[in-house]
Amino acid sequence: MKYRKYIAIAFIGALFLPLLSAKAEKTPVEKFNIKSIVFVEQEQEEAFDFDTADYLPEEFNAYDSNESVNSLNFIENDVIDLGFDTTDYLPENFNPYGK
């Protein structure tokens, strides 16, 4: 039984021997100049079916840096009806805003 294993291992090893002596084919390296690429910029104007000024604040300037995230007004709705009592599923004295 041991001899069969050794013969099988030697046969499989003999099958992989040509792979060890194989040489990779060298392909010529072509130098590429990135500056040879021509960039064509296409100007596209967005066509809206409505006047966008009706939906923006007065004197709105998208490029003005005075606007910030802090100037946004968030509407908070503290009461949400889920259809069941959530206190049955939360620990005692649960405070989602506490640390």
Side-chain angles (χ1 to χ4, degrees):
M1 188 71 163
K2 290 183 181 180
Y3 295 112
R4 287 186 183 177
K5 287 183 183 179
Y6 293 130
I7 292 173
I9 291 172
F11 179 74
I12 292 172
L15 289 175
F16 287 108
L17 279 177
L19 294 176
L20 296 175
S21 63
K23 294 181 181 178
E25 181 180 337
K26 293 184 179 180
T27 56
V29 178
E30 297 180 21
K31 294 188 177 185
F32 179 73
N33 186 4
I34 193 76
K35 294 180 181 179
S36 66
I37 297 175
V38 178
F39 178 71
V40 178
E41 187 174 339
Q42 297 178 354
E43 293 184 21
Q44 295 179 351
E45 292 188 21
E46 299 294 331
F48 294 108
D49 295 339
F50 57 91
D51 186 18
T52 57
D54 296 339
Y55 300 96
L56 296 173
E58 292 180 11
E59 300 178 7
F60 176 77
N61 183 2
Y63 301 107
D64 187 15
S65 63
N66 292 337
E67 299 294 327
S68 69
V69 176
N70 297 330
S71 67
L72 298 176
N73 295 328
F74 294 103
I75 300 173
E76 293 185 16
N77 187 2
D78 292 336
V79 179
I80 299 174
D81 183 24
L82 298 176
F84 60 93
D85 187 16
T86 58
T87 56
D88 297 337
Y89 300 99
L90 296 174
E92 292 180 15
N93 300 326
F94 177 75
N95 183 4
Y97 303 107
K99 291 184 179 182

